Every structure is written in C-alpha cells, then in structure tokens.
Amino acid sequence: MTRKELQTLTAIEDDALFTFAQYDPEAAEKTGYSDYSYWKSTFRIFFKNKTALLLLAIMVLLVVFTVIQPYLPNQKDPTKIHIDPATGHQLRNHPPSKEFWFGTNVIGQDLWARIWSGTRTSLLIAIIVGIWEVVFGIFIGALWGYVRQLDALITEIYNVINNIPNTILLTLLAYIMRPSFKTMVIAMCLTGWLGMARFVRNQIVIIRDREYNLASRCLGTPTWRIITKNVLPYLVSVIVMRIALSIPGTIGWEVFLTYIGLGLPIETPSLGNLLNEGRRVMMSSHLRYQLIFPAVVLSIITVSFYVLGNAFADAADPRNHY
Amino acid sequence: MKSLKKMFPVLLILVMLFAGCTPKEEEGNGAEVRESEDYYGIYSGELTTINYLTTSSTAEFAIAANTIDCLVEYDNLGIVRPAMATEWTISDDGLVWTFTLREGQHWYTHDGTEYAEVTAQDWVDAMKYLLNPDNASATADIAYRVLKNGEKYFLGEIDDFDEVGVKALDKYTLEYTLEKPVPYFLSMLTYCPFMPANGQFLEEVGEKFGTDNEYLLYNGAYLFTVWEPQEMQVLEKNENYWDADKVYIKKIESKYNKEAATLAPEMFLRGEISGCDISTDLLDEWMNDPEKSKMVRPASTSFYSYFYAFNFDPRSVPEEYEPDNWKIAVNNINFRKALFHGLDRTAAVLTLDPYTPERMITNTITLKNFAAAGGKDYTEFDGLADIVARESFDPELAVEYRDKAKEELEGEATFPIKVMMPYNTSGTQWTNESQVVEQQLENLLGEDFIDIIPVGFPPSGFLNATRRAGNYCFQKCNWGPDYADPETYTDPWMPDGTYNWPERAFDPEPYNHYKSLVDQAKEEVLDLERRFELFAEAEAFLIDQAWVIPIHCGGGGYVATKLEPFTSPYAPFGIADLQYKGQVVMKEPIDTEEYMRRYEEWEQARKAALEEQAAKQGQ
Amino acid sequence: MLKYSIKRILQSIVTVFIVITVVFLLMRLLPVEGYYGERADKLTDAQKEAILRKHGLLDPWYVQLKNFYSSLFKGDLGNSIIYRRDVPVVDILKPKIPYSFGFGIASLILSLIIGLSMGIHMAREKGGFWDNVWSAFVVFINAVPAAVYLLFIQMYVTSITKLPILFTKGNFVSYILPTVSMSLGGAAGYAMWMRRYMVDELNKDYIKLARAKGMPNKDIMVSHVMRNAFVPMAQYLPSSVLLTISGSIYIESLYSIPGMGGLLVDVIQRQDNTLVQALVLIYSVLGIFGLFLGDILMAVFDPRIRLEKEGGAR
C-alpha cells in the first residue's frame, strides 16, 4: 500500500461519515423481526407464474361452469333421448350442430349435457376422495412415519389392505350395494388413502432423524408438535403436489375401473364411461367427436391440476422465497 | 296306442328318407368341390375347457361342433342327415331307437395319429361319464331327462349303469331306450351330451380330459391342432374324415385379442383377418362409407328369445318401489295390455340393431323357423299366425287400455304406478335400451300413469338378485331352447319356473287354463301336427293375457366377413351353426343387399325342403 | 440390520397369511350363481349340487379354509375352477409369468433411462426450452388417459410404420411397440419426480457451498444431487421390479400378449377362487418383500435413515 493511498484512506476517515445512532427501541425490535410470512411469499411467487395463473383461471372457469351449467338457459337433460322428427325414432349419432353442440350419442342423448354432467360426477368423486385422501392419508402417514411404536402395526394394516385386490372389494361392494355413485366413492375411499399415507411416511422417515428433530426431542418437544411444526411444513411442497395430482389421479382411476367393467352404469354419465364409450368409435372418423370432446375436457382438468400443483409446489418451497 | 300305430309308418319313412338321401343330395348346395381360402379370425374370450361332455358354454361347444361327429347332423337347410350313423329304426312304441354306425371310422389325436376305431361303445362310455355326478356335467340333465333310468343313475338311486337306456348291441349297433316317447329325440342327438368319447382314452387321461387339445380325441371334420391359451387356436382339416369332400376350409386360425371388438374391424380393413363383428357403435360409419358398406352384412340371429315379463309376485321388491301397489296393477289385464301395446319395440331394438330392427323383432316367444310340422312352421299354426301378423305396438290401443285400467284401478292403486325395471350394468346395450323404454313408455302413457325406474345391478349374481328372487316389476328376460320342439319354450311358466309366476295371480283361472293346454300338448307325442296346434294355442293364450311382451331374438348384429352365408349347417338350437363344415371363405365379402337376397333364396329352399320332407312322410 | 431383517420377514409371513385368509373369505361372499355357467336357469338342483361339490364349495367355509391351507403347505396351489377348468394353477401361470416379466423389465429399464435422463435434463435447464418441451410431453402423457393414447399409438403407428398390430411369439419386430408404449407412462412419471427432487436439491445450501467452492458442475450433479434425489425413488424401485410380473392390462389386452396383465381382475370377476388365491399369494409376497427391500435400499442410499428402533429414540 502506497503512502498516497494510505493518506487518501485516512482522509476518508472523516467524522462526518460516521455518526453514532440514537438508541431506538423500535428499530431494535426490527432486527429481530422479519415481515416474512410463509404463505404470503408462497402466493407472491405463485402469482408471478403466468402460465399457472392462466391455467388457474381456466380451471376456475371450468369448475364454475360445470356447477352452473344445468341452470343456464337452453340446456338439455343429459339422459333425455331426443327423437328425430323425420323417423320418429332416436336421433342417433347426430354430428355436432347448432342444436346439439357436441352432437348426440348412439341413443340420441345430448353429448354437451352429458359431458358437463359427467364432469360434475367425476369431479365430485375426485374431490370427495381427494379430501379423504389428504386428511386421512396424512394423518396415518404422519403417525406411521414418526411414531415408531405404531410402525409395525400400521405397516401390517397397510400391507394387508394394499394386497387385497381392489377388484375384489369393488366387485363385492357392487354386489352388496349395486353400482352407483355412493359405491364408487366408498370403494375408492377404502383404499385411496394408502398411497398418500405411504408417501408421507417415507418422507418423514427420511427427515425424522435429522439433527433439528433430534434437538427438538432432546428439548422435550411433544411428538405431535414435532410432527406439525417441524416435519409437515417441510413437506408442504411435495404434499401439495401430491394433492394436486390426486384429483386427476382419481379421475384416471375411474376411467380404469370403467375399462375393466366396474365403473358407473352409463345411465349416470361420468368422464370414465363417456371416454370408454368414445374409445370404441376412435377409428370412425365421423363418430370420433364422441371421444374427442370428453378427452379434451378430461385433459384440461388433468393438465391444469398438474401444472398448478407443480407451480404451487415450487412456490411453497421456502428456499425459493426471497 | 292308436295314435302310436298311426305315427309309426311316418317315422319309418322318415328314417328311410334320411338313410336314403346321402347319394342324391349332390344336386343341391355344395355339388361341385369348392375352392376356399383359409380362415383367419380373432376372438376375445378364451375357452375355459374343451371337455364337451361337461361344458355349457356356446364358445366351447364350437370346438366340439367342428371336431366331434355325432350320430346325425343337419344340412344347411335344417334337414337331419346321417353322420356317424348311417341308418336307424324306432320300435313300435317309440321308445327304442337303434342306430347302425358307419364302419371304419377312427379317433385321431390332435396331431392326426390314429388312436382307435369309433364303435358303439364310445356313445355308452361317454354317457356313463356324463351321468357321473362327480364330473359335474352342466348338460347331463338334457340326457337324463329322456333316457331310461338316466335320472335315477345320476341321483345315485341305482348303481348299475347297465340299467340306463343306452347299449352297444355290437360294435356297430347302438341302442337308446327312452323313459317315454320323445318326438324330437333325433334333434337332441346333435347336441354335446350325446357326443361319443373313447372309453379307453377317458380312463387313460382321467381328470385331464378336455383340459388341453392333447387330452381330447377327434373324429370330426377338423383336428384341434394348436391351442395356446390367450394366444391362438388352430383347427386343421381331418383328411381322413368320412365326409372330407364337403370340408372346404383347410385351416382355421384364430388369434386371441381381448380388445377384438375395437381392433378387429381395423385389422379386417388391413386384410389381416377374414372376418369380424361390427358393433352397433361402428355400424353408422361402415354403412355410410361407400367402400366399407360393400363389406358389411347382417349376421344370423339365434334362437334365444327375449321378452319383457310382468312379475306377479314382486316378493323382494324394496318398499320404496311400492310392490303392493304394483301387485294390484299387474293383476289388471288392461294395465298389462296398456304396456303391451304401448311398448315401441322398434325403438328399443334400435339400440341393438339400428339398420334392420325388423329382423330381430319377434311377436312370439317361440321363434320363427324354429320347428315345423307337416311342412308348416310352428308360428304359422292357428292362434299364433294372427299374433305374428300384427304389430303389438299400437299407441291408440295402448291409450285406450290405459284409460280402462285407470278407471278400474281408481281407488285401489295409487298413480303413478312405480315400475321397478332392473338391468345388468355390464353392457351398454341393455342400459341404453332401459333408458329408451323408460322414456318411450312414460311419454306415451303419461308420467301420471306409470313411473318406470330402471335399476342397475352388477353382473355378478345378476339373475339371482333380480328375476329369480322376484326382485323386479318389469324386466327383460330370455330363454334358449334345448331341443327342436316348442315344448322347450314353455319351461319358464311351469310351476318350478323362476320367471314371473302367473300362477300366483289373484285369479288363478287363466294360469290353470294355460297349464292344462300345455299338459295336453306334452301328452301328444306322436301326432306332431296336433302337438304343435296345442302348443300354439297355449302360447297364443299366454301372449293374449299379456303376461309377457315378446320383443326380439338373440344373435344378430353385423359382420364383415368373407365366409359365405347359408352354407353352414342350420339347426334351431345347439351347435350346428358353429360348424365350418360346408362353409367357404370367399375372395371378397358381400354386402347387406346381397345377403338379404340370398336369405330369401335360402328361406324358399328351406320351405321347399320342409314341404318335400312332409310330403314324403305323408305318403 | 440382520435382526431387523429377520423380524421384518417373520412379520411379512404373518401379513401374507392375513391377506390370503381375508381374500379367501371375501371370495366366498360372492354369489354361487357364478359357477353354474350359461345354463344356470335350466340346471336341476342335483346338477347344481354336483357342480358345487366338485369345486369343494359345499363344505362350510372353515373346512374349505383348512383344505386350502393343508394343500398349500404341501406346495399344491390347486386346480383352476373356471378360468381353465381342472388345469393346475401352476401350469396356467408358468408360461404367463415370463411374458409379463420380460416386457415389464424391458419397459421399466427403458422408462428409467428415458425418464431419468429427461428429468435431469429438465432440472438442469429449468425454465429453458427443453424443460418446456419435456414438460409438454409429461403433461400430455399424464393428461390423456392411457386407454386412449395407447390405442391411438397402436392404430396409427402400425399403419405408418407397418409394424405388426399384434404380438407374435418369436417375431422380435412385434416386441418393439408394446415395450415402447408401455414405458411411456413410467418415463413421464420418473421424469417428473426426478425434476422435482433435483430442483429441490439444487436449492439446498450444501450445493450452493459446493458451487462456491468451485466444484465442477458435473461432480455436483452426480455425487450430490442425483444421489440424494434418488433416495425417495429407491423405496419404490424394488416393488416396481418385482411387480412387473403382474403385467400391464392395457398393453397385454391391446397387443395380445399372453401374460398376466388383467388376469387377477378377470379371475375375480369370474370367481375362480383357486386362481385368485394363488395370484394374491404371489402378488402379496412380492409386494411386501418389495416394500422391505425398498426400506433397506433407502437406508443404504441415505445413511442418515435408520430403520431399527434404537434406545433413546421415540
């Protein structure tokens, strides 16, 4: 360091540059306080994601429309069979037109009304099953992962239920209660929570022995508090994604059940049975609309939940907060 | 005994007729040796067994139909011809049937190795196997109801099989003794329970009999050469078959695919298979496409008869559907007739066959072309002829009956009358039909008159939960025949039936009348025409009482196939139409128009053949 | 670890017994009508009895259960009663398992290769062009129901490429399409999870430290990020490998592969008790064993995870 530089530095050491601050108790508080709020930050980041917002808007519109559709003017009954005045018989496979926006099906029912009615049914099933999955699955999963005394018991219960084929339960339930909306929901709830519980359990097993949890235990924090305050918040991002996927997952499950013949009777339209009906005419160019319309609605639901779930999981990760 | 004697010469002529027609039938169908391509098919249901003595599944009968030859067979016009037996005689009392077998016929293993000669003992051994309850045959009842001491042996009341009415008199002579005269016995012989099986082989393979293609012997037109379950089945022509000249298709190769209904039409268009079903969903596309419409034609219908039944004993119908109210309503004949004439059957059948529903619709329970006596089809006998000629759907008449019913039931029943209508949720067609019927009837008769409530039941235990338990008000039921006689179609209304219990109506008189007519007809075993008259009268009464509404026959639908129609053996029940013998794979498929033209030709040829047969009997 | 393993194995045996007993009893709750076949309406009572007796269904349930277990201990799984009547269950399953296992493993490997590399690529280029392209693919596979896109692939790809529509034994060209289309779903799933975990992991402080230290990006990826990201997947991997033998119902139905896909669903609906019991036995043994292996594997990948209960820990 040259003398000249030194001189410059000393010259800067001017009293004017540094003054003693007055003691201010309020400001002192501020250093120990941050206005950081987890959820506020999460939403702030979430709302920055334009694609997610667009999909959110589409999804909200779709859900709202699904709910209010039957109350709009000029809507048709999803089970009413329309008669062709020319022949006096069913208006079969009528292509999309001004009167029937999405055409009619093989016995002359309005596909537009059926798709929205089906979406209502499927979404309702998915939401009920989804809520159950979240509430019951996380509850069991948290206990399973964190409380070692329960590990053996819950593992046992999990293994037993998980290994009894769903088909047996569904066939039996359908036999006892007849195929219906209620049967479907009960059957799905019976086993739907398993995946979530196992998922949460595995996550917890991964982090339960981390140092900060060990520290909490040493300090005598009750188990329940450790689960809710230390462990679960850490998992919010992955759990949210899981929830977002569980809704399209349940709809997909319903499609699968319909495929193997355990779905809802087509008298109650659902996305599952509409797709299955449409699938049979996939190779007929004139009838393909019967597959495309329900497939598009289903895809919109799946894509929005999927992308929203991802975006929200990103936003919910505190490390992305700044 | 008088009628017996009257009938005997007729039977004898019949026998001689059958025996004598082998050489001269060359002039009709299949005169020249015809060229045929091989057949490539696709199937979606795998066989569970090929044990033809125990199975009751149509798909499994198909293997036996092509690989096992019976005593007699049907030709393509439905006339009985000799097969393994060359001639036969009937005793004076009509109880003992003696068959002379074709000599020099052999059993072959699946790879074509000769195993043993076909002898009369094979029919005896097969019957012994069938009537052994340990083998749990699902067709044993067909045989033991007619054979002397058959039922007793099955139930274990007698132990000695020699007492059962089937005997090998010598190597080539087989004798059946019946419990009582059975006019349709000959037709039963083409059915699986009367097929032969080699006794030594049965013993050799034991429990494995019919579990694989190597555990079965063949004496028929084809050998079951390859069976890879869930993969493929191959039938190859048995060159040593006695009638090999009339077996044109050399090889039938079928591949398994669970999604056949979806894939097969596309594979047919790409030329990978020779034929497939075209489902109702796809039919519009095929019919409206100029190219595809040339390849699609109707498939033949079956003899399953479907009818909507009114339940007179709704004992397990849940309270929410008001069974007591229904019971009051159903006992009113005008109420039943309102529905009978109100049901637009065409609308309902459109869900099954949207292009030619009239082909499916039936006005009677016993179907047309099922049985004939004296050259006259059963449905043309008195009583039934009028029913066949009219259309039951008559909106004005229905409304008239509705008003009458309303008046009569006023104060007794509450309107609208709830009608619980179960359906099986496994298929879409029935669900669709239920919705059509519900809306059509309610629109016509008014929602203030009836309230039809379709209720979906799962396929497992469907009939036990619904019809057999009496858990329905109005339901589509069906019945399939077991032998070529109208008697078979009366079973659902016999006292141990599980259909709709008209005997439990408030007024038992109509049922008693029906029952006495049927009993009388059943007694008439020798004069076929009289027998048919009586059955026709009973059936006409049943329909007139509107206990049921006949709606349509089974089978049908559409196919795209290179198989030439009307070349397969024809019989109103059993396995004849499953045979490839006599069939030809054409170069190109034919269209609906051509099919209908050939159908008319065939119908005339059959009529002529029946008349010719009757004329010979009448001489 | 050994003590823990032995305990887990013993426990698993108990679980398997509970599972098959429950399944056994559930199957007996289904209506017997299913055994009578097409002529159910015409059979006489004597015939119905003969059929039930032949299948051993006339005995009270506890006798049936006892018979089932006593033959099971002798290593006899019994004969099928409906699916292929009187054929030993073992003979039915033996030819089927290799098909499902072969296709399952091939497509699992393919989907891991495709999925993981796709996921890694996406995570590294987060927000970039390729991230969006692959995301679109993943979204598409997830959004369109498998029943639809698989049929679509089969129909259009075969018509363009002239690949055979149906699977034929020995014709290797016919193996391509089923394997590839079977791996798509898995690939999308793996890619999605890989991306998610990698992104999570990349945000962690130790990675930032490693970067600050100047550690090469490649080393960070391989020895830190991927290894940690792999831990949650490790839990599922053994079950996925073992349960490939259950086959894929869609693929096997569409391409006529004579494997195990949909067999369980089929035999349950047809009430073939012996086959249901055998399949449930096999699947539950594999499933439970897979879970156990997964736990072990997870502990191997992440030494911080301890499975056995130790003194002091709750």
Side-chain angles (χ1 to χ4, degrees):
Chain A
M1 210 176 275
T2 59
R3 173 179 287 265
K4 200 175 178 187
E5 283 171 326
L6 253 177
Q7 275 179 344
T8 329
L9 272 175
T10 356
I12 295 169
E13 266 178 35
D14 195 331
D15 285 348
L17 285 174
F18 295 95
T19 49
F20 281 99
Q22 279 303 111
Y23 172 68
D24 181 355
E26 262 180 55
E29 279 290 296
K30 267 186 184 166
T31 52
Y33 171 81
S34 136
D35 67 345
Y36 172 80
S37 147
Y38 175 72
W39 290 108
K40 213 190 260 171
S41 306
T42 303
F43 282 114
R44 192 173 40 113
I45 296 186
F46 181 76
F47 284 122
K48 274 189 184 163
N49 188 336
K50 292 285 174 286
T51 328
L53 278 185
L54 180 69
L55 282 168
L56 183 69
I58 293 176
M59 200 178 73
V60 169
L61 269 178
L62 189 108
V63 171
V64 169
F65 185 76
T66 307
V67 174
I68 61 164
Q69 180 267 336
Y71 307 106
L72 296 176
N74 289 329
Q75 297 301 318
K76 300 185 167 65
D77 184 332
T79 53
K80 184 177 169 20
I81 295 161
H82 296 274
I83 303 294
D84 186 349
T87 60
H89 288 300
Q90 298 96 305
L91 188 64
R92 306 175 47 258
N93 294 330
H94 184 70
S97 67
K98 233 168 147 187
E99 177 72 14
F100 303 98
W101 295 349
F102 282 3
T104 65
N105 71 358
V106 73
I107 54 168
Q109 292 165 325
D110 181 35
L111 215 53
W112 165 264
R114 284 181 79 75
I115 283 173
W116 295 115
S117 159
T119 311
R120 250 190 320 278
T121 314
S122 293
L123 267 182
L124 196 58
I125 294 180
I127 289 168
I128 297 174
V129 176
I131 290 173
W132 171 256
E133 216 173 277
V134 168
V135 173
F136 197 67
I138 294 180
F139 176 71
I140 297 289
L143 285 182
W144 189 5
Y146 201 81
V147 186
R148 287 177 198 243
Q149 289 91 332
L150 289 177
D151 182 53
L153 179 71
I154 302 181
T155 308
E156 189 68 29
I157 295 173
Y158 171 87
N159 281 338
V160 169
I161 302 183
N162 193 39
N163 283 293
I164 294 173
N166 258 317
T167 320
I168 295 191
L169 297 176
L170 270 166
T171 312
L172 259 177
L173 275 179
Y175 170 59
I176 297 164
M177 305 171 50
R178 295 210 313 271
S180 70
F181 181 81
K182 201 168 69 183
T183 316
M184 199 81 172
V185 170
I186 291 178
M188 287 179 150
C189 284
L190 223 51
T191 52
W193 57 275
L194 289 169
M196 180 64 103
R198 184 176 170 189
F199 176 78
V200 171
R201 181 246 181 191
N202 287 344
Q203 295 296 322
I204 289 179
V205 166
I206 290 171
I207 60 168
R208 71 175 173 201
D209 291 327
R210 300 255 163 104
E211 287 75 6
Y212 63 95
N213 287 322
L214 199 67
S216 281
R217 278 204 294 272
C218 292
L219 292 169
T221 318
T223 305
W224 190 242
R225 202 179 150 77
I226 295 181
I227 294 179
T228 51
K229 296 287 173 189
N230 289 12
V231 181
L232 286 182
Y234 188 87
L235 297 176
V236 163
S237 77
V238 270
I239 288 177
V240 163
M241 194 164 101
R242 184 86 197 187
I243 296 170
L245 289 181
S246 103
I247 292 191
T250 309
I251 296 179
W253 191 9
E254 191 230 312
V255 173
F256 176 75
L257 289 177
T258 313
Y259 175 79
I260 62 170
L262 289 170
L264 290 168
I266 52 170
E267 203 195 0
T268 319
S270 75
L271 287 175
N273 56 33
L274 288 172
L275 265 177
N276 215 38
E277 291 294 283
R279 193 171 169 274
R280 293 197 244 162
V281 293
M282 192 180 101
M283 296 311 288
S284 316
S285 49
H286 297 106
L287 304 176
R288 207 171 284 150
Y289 67 89
Q290 297 184 10
L291 172 68
I292 291 172
F293 291 128
V296 165
V297 173
L298 184 102
S299 304
I300 292 176
I301 295 175
T302 321
V303 171
S304 355
F305 273 101
Y306 174 78
V307 176
L308 283 178
N310 265 310
F312 193 79
D314 277 343
D317 187 340
R319 282 159 306 207
N320 285 339
H321 295 178
Y322 39 83
Chain B
M1 261 350 225
K2 199 174 153 197
S3 57
L4 266 174
K5 277 190 188 124
K6 192 176 89 193
M7 197 61 188
F8 179 62
V10 177
L11 288 169
L12 206 66
I13 289 162
L14 247 166
V15 169
M16 294 189 305
L17 174 79
F18 291 152
C21 56
T22 330
K24 73 169 203 267
E25 77 197 35
E26 302 292 306
E27 72 217 17
N29 286 280
E32 75 279 34
V33 175
R34 302 194 54 185
E35 288 294 319
S36 168
E37 300 177 20
D38 290 346
Y39 185 81
Y40 296 92
I42 189 161
Y43 65 105
S44 61
E46 186 52 270
L47 306 169
T48 67
T49 179
I50 46 172
N51 185 341
Y52 51 88
L53 295 176
T54 59
T55 183
S56 61
S57 131
T58 316
E60 284 150 18
F61 290 161
I63 292 296
N66 285 299
T67 59
I68 311 289
D69 226 29
C70 298
L71 290 169
V72 294
E73 66 176 19
Y74 283 96
D75 70 4
N76 71 329
L77 297 175
I79 308 291
V80 177
R81 307 273 184 212
M84 277 289 126
T86 49
E87 54 188 40
W88 51 92
T89 57
I90 308 154
S91 68
D92 288 358
D93 56 6
L95 288 176
V96 182
W97 293 64
T98 312
F99 293 84
T100 308
L101 299 192
R102 194 179 293 277
E103 293 180 24
Q105 300 307 306
H106 291 90
W107 289 104
Y108 300 91
T109 60
H110 73 289
D111 53 10
T113 319
E114 199 175 296
Y115 182 92
E117 196 178 356
V118 178
T119 64
Q121 186 62 32
D122 296 338
W123 274 266
V124 180
D125 290 336
M127 191 53 70
K128 194 172 176 184
Y129 182 94
L130 187 90
L131 295 184
N132 181 352
D134 292 345
N135 293 323
S137 168
T139 49
D141 58 314
I142 297 174
Y144 76 52
R145 275 171 206 225
V146 295
L147 286 193
K148 192 181 161 204
N149 287 333
E151 186 157 11
K152 284 187 186 146
Y153 183 80
F154 187 85
L155 296 176
E157 287 165 18
I158 52 170
D159 294 330
D160 187 3
F161 188 72
D162 291 343
E163 287 179 47
V164 178
V166 56
K167 267 182 200 57
L169 298 182
D170 62 48
K171 209 171 164 188
Y172 301 113
T173 314
L174 178 70
E175 182 190 276
Y176 283 112
T177 312
L178 308 185
E179 199 74 50
K180 55 177 194 202
V182 178
Y184 46 84
F185 184 63
L186 211 55
S187 79
M188 300 179 84
L189 295 176
T190 60
Y191 209 23
C192 285
F194 287 93
M195 283 182 170
N198 185 285
Q200 189 198 332
F201 188 76
L202 275 176
E203 217 161 274
E204 215 173 272
V205 296
E207 248 206 347
K208 288 200 163 84
F209 183 72
T211 56
D212 208 344
N213 61 340
E214 56 188 297
Y215 300 126
L216 207 63
L217 290 179
Y218 311 96
N219 72 336
Y222 289 92
L223 302 174
F224 194 14
T225 50
V226 180
W227 184 22
E228 304 276 356
Q230 275 81 37
E231 217 176 320
M232 71 185 312
Q233 301 171 355
V234 180
L235 290 170
E236 272 171 287
K237 183 178 172 182
N238 177 4
E239 295 295 344
N240 298 310
Y241 179 58
W242 68 273
D243 205 11
D245 290 351
K246 285 210 210 71
V247 181
Y248 307 119
I249 308 177
K250 291 212 166 49
K251 188 169 149 197
I252 295 126
E253 189 181 302
S254 309
K255 279 198 142 196
Y256 172 81
N257 191 289
K258 210 172 181 180
E259 294 257 9
T262 315
L263 299 186
E266 181 68 19
M267 291 182 71
F268 180 80
L269 289 175
R270 294 188 195 176
E272 295 186 24
I273 51 174
S274 321
C276 69
D277 291 340
I278 302 297
S279 69
T280 320
D281 308 306
L282 294 176
L283 203 53
D284 278 344
E285 170 84 8
W286 280 66
M287 284 295 193
N288 296 328
D289 185 297
E291 279 305 308
K292 292 181 188 167
S293 65
K294 284 185 202 149
M295 298 188 259
V296 61
R297 67 162 172 90
S300 60
T301 56
S302 82
F303 284 89
Y304 264 89
S305 184
Y306 290 78
F307 44 85
Y308 275 88
F310 291 91
N311 185 7
F312 287 87
D313 189 12
R315 56 188 178 281
S316 22
V317 173
E319 269 316 307
E320 58 184 300
Y321 304 118
E322 301 169 3
D324 293 332
N325 196 39
W326 166 260
K327 195 155 182 177
I328 295 165
V330 78
N331 272 287
N332 182 303
I333 188 164
N334 292 322
F335 173 80
R336 297 199 303 268
K337 286 203 164 181
L339 267 68
F340 184 93
H341 293 293
L343 179 67
D344 182 352
R345 302 179 304 159
T346 312
V349 174
L350 278 175
T351 60
L352 195 66
D353 182 339
Y355 281 85
T356 43
E358 65 283 355
R359 209 164 58 92
M360 307 287 296
I361 291 173
T362 171
N363 289 326
T364 49
I365 296 159
T366 309
L367 300 169
K368 206 176 139 195
N369 279 336
F370 172 71
K376 191 155 111 183
D377 191 77
Y378 171 73
T379 55
E380 285 163 20
F381 277 78
D382 283 353
L384 283 183
D386 300 339
I387 290 174
V388 170
R390 64 146 201 233
E391 166 56 50
S392 74
F393 174 54
D394 184 341
E396 278 157 34
L397 200 59
V399 171
E400 240 171 68
Y401 278 117
R402 175 198 69 188
D403 295 341
K404 260 194 240 170
K406 254 187 173 169
E407 206 173 289
E408 289 172 16
L409 290 170
E410 198 60 61
E412 287 180 51
T414 41
F415 289 101
I417 286 152
K418 287 190 178 169
V419 185
M420 180 209 178
M421 184 171 74
Y423 65 91
N424 187 332
T425 54
S426 67
T428 56
Q429 188 273 327
W430 200 343
T431 318
N432 281 341
E433 184 180 324
S434 300
Q435 297 179 67
V436 170
V437 167
E438 177 199 4
Q439 298 189 19
Q440 187 266 322
L441 276 176
E442 285 179 0
N443 282 345
L444 176 67
L445 301 174
E447 286 175 33
D448 55 341
F449 179 64
I450 43 166
D451 175 15
I452 295 184
I453 310 160
V455 186
F457 282 83
S460 41
F462 173 73
L463 287 174
N464 266 8
T466 57
R467 193 197 76 214
R468 292 187 198 129
N471 184 18
Y472 76 96
C473 295
F474 188 59
Q475 181 180 342
K476 189 162 91 161
C477 308
N478 69 57
W479 180 261
D482 276 334
Y483 43 82
D485 187 271
E487 182 185 335
T488 186
Y489 282 107
T490 62
D491 287 352
W493 296 278
M494 290 302 99
D496 56 351
T498 56
Y499 276 73
N500 62 342
W501 305 278
E503 68 271 27
R504 298 181 196 169
F506 293 157
D507 176 13
E509 201 36 57
Y511 181 77
N512 292 341
H513 179 68
Y514 171 77
K515 181 76 173 35
S516 72
L517 282 174
V518 172
D519 287 343
Q520 240 179 301
K522 280 183 182 171
E523 288 306 310
E524 185 57 72
V525 289
L526 292 168
D527 184 347
L528 269 190
E529 275 176 72
R530 178 72 191 131
R531 182 182 169 88
F532 277 35
E533 263 168 37
L534 287 164
F535 273 121
E537 194 183 337
E539 186 169 329
F541 178 76
L542 190 160
I543 295 169
D544 190 51
Q545 284 288 312
W547 289 344
V548 298
I549 311 173
I551 176 155
H552 63 82
C553 58
Y558 282 76
V559 287
T561 179
K562 292 184 187 172
L563 278 178
E564 188 176 334
F566 310 112
T567 51
S568 74
Y570 174 85
F573 80 101
I575 57 170
D577 59 341
L578 302 168
Q579 293 177 7
Y580 286 103
K581 179 180 174 181
Q583 296 211 61
V584 171
V585 178
M586 303 175 295
K587 294 256 182 291
E588 294 298 329
I590 58 167
D591 64 5
T592 304
E593 212 174 296
E594 172 68 12
Y595 176 88
M596 291 320 261
R597 193 184 62 73
R598 293 197 193 192
Y599 177 73
E600 269 163 39
E601 265 177 32
W602 174 85
E603 223 179 14
Q604 276 168 12
R606 173 169 157 83
K607 205 165 183 211
L610 287 175
E611 269 162 16
E612 186 190 355
Q613 189 186 11
K616 281 188 182 149
Q617 287 164 13
Q619 279 166 5
Chain C
M1 200 62 141
L2 184 71
K3 207 178 128 199
Y4 175 79
S5 304
I6 293 171
K7 210 181 124 201
R8 275 286 294 266
I9 289 169
L10 288 177
Q11 204 184 324
S12 303
I13 294 175
V14 176
T15 312
V16 171
F17 273 98
I18 298 177
V19 169
I20 35 182
T21 309
V22 171
V23 166
F24 185 96
L25 297 177
L26 288 180
M27 288 307 289
R28 268 54 182 187
L29 288 176
L30 286 169
V32 290
E33 191 186 20
Y35 301 104
Y36 299 147
E38 285 181 18
R39 296 186 72 249
D41 269 318
K42 299 171 178 174
L43 297 182
T44 60
D45 291 342
Q47 273 176 298
K48 287 181 183 172
E49 206 187 302
I51 289 170
L52 293 183
R53 180 176 298 117
K54 185 166 186 239
H55 300 323
L57 291 164
L58 278 182
D59 300 326
W61 64 268
Y62 48 87
V63 178
Q64 292 185 39
L65 193 63
K66 195 198 88 209
N67 293 343
F68 167 65
Y69 274 122
S70 63
S71 52
L72 186 64
F73 284 125
K74 286 180 214 140
D76 178 13
L77 283 171
N79 291 352
S80 159
I81 58 177
I82 295 194
Y83 184 74
R84 267 192 80 193
R85 214 162 62 217
D86 300 332
V87 176
V89 167
V90 179
D91 292 351
I92 297 176
L93 300 184
K94 221 191 277 165
K96 287 182 172 295
I97 290 176
Y99 285 112
S100 294
F101 195 62
F103 275 104
I105 291 291
S107 73
L108 184 68
I109 292 170
L110 197 63
S111 62
L112 275 172
I113 294 173
I114 301 175
L116 295 188
S117 39
M118 209 151 80
I120 293 166
H121 198 186
M122 282 157 81
R124 291 175 69 166
E125 311 234 335
K126 193 181 166 216
F129 173 71
W130 285 106
D131 188 21
N132 288 332
V133 171
W134 297 133
S135 294
F137 167 76
V138 170
V139 166
F140 177 81
I141 293 291
N142 277 302
V144 183
V148 174
Y149 78 75
L150 290 176
L151 178 65
F152 188 84
I153 289 175
Q154 185 185 27
M155 281 300 157
Y156 289 100
V157 175
T158 53
S159 99
I160 295 165
T161 61
K162 302 284 172 243
L163 284 170
I165 294 186
L166 301 186
F167 161 84
T168 314
K169 206 184 338 187
N171 178 6
F172 293 101
V173 181
S174 69
Y175 294 20
I176 300 171
L177 212 48
T179 316
V180 173
S181 39
M182 197 167 159
S183 64
L184 291 179
Y190 288 125
M192 185 178 102
W193 283 108
M194 198 65 196
R195 180 187 182 275
R196 168 101 257 121
Y197 279 106
M198 293 232 346
V199 169
D200 275 1
E201 209 65 26
L202 280 171
N203 273 331
K204 283 188 178 157
D205 294 336
Y206 76 97
I207 300 289
K208 287 180 183 155
L209 177 70
R211 281 241 168 86
K213 278 196 310 190
M215 194 172 170
N217 205 26
K218 198 181 159 198
D219 289 357
I220 296 179
M221 280 293 170
V222 173
S223 56
H224 291 296
V225 179
M226 276 175 62
R227 184 174 165 152
N228 274 313
F230 201 67
V231 173
M233 255 186 228
Q235 233 265 335
Y236 290 92
L237 206 58
S239 327
S240 321
V241 172
L242 292 174
L243 289 177
T244 49
I245 73 153
S246 60
S248 153
I249 181 167
Y250 288 128
I251 295 291
E252 293 186 9
S253 306
L254 283 171
Y255 291 92
S256 308
I257 298 169
M260 307 269 280
L263 182 62
L264 183 59
V265 172
D266 191 14
V267 292
I268 288 171
Q269 287 172 345
R270 285 154 83 171
Q271 294 176 243
D272 192 333
N273 298 346
T274 39
L275 212 42
V276 171
Q277 283 145 212
L279 287 174
V280 170
L281 180 70
I282 295 170
Y283 291 163
S284 56
V285 166
L286 293 178
I288 292 167
F289 187 60
L291 187 68
F292 167 58
L293 273 186
D295 279 351
I296 303 247
L297 205 62
M298 196 162 68
V300 169
F301 269 95
D302 189 346
R304 283 171 301 181
I305 298 168
R306 293 192 310 275
L307 294 162
E308 51 255 273
K309 191 184 168 191
E310 285 164 10
R314 284 192 240 192

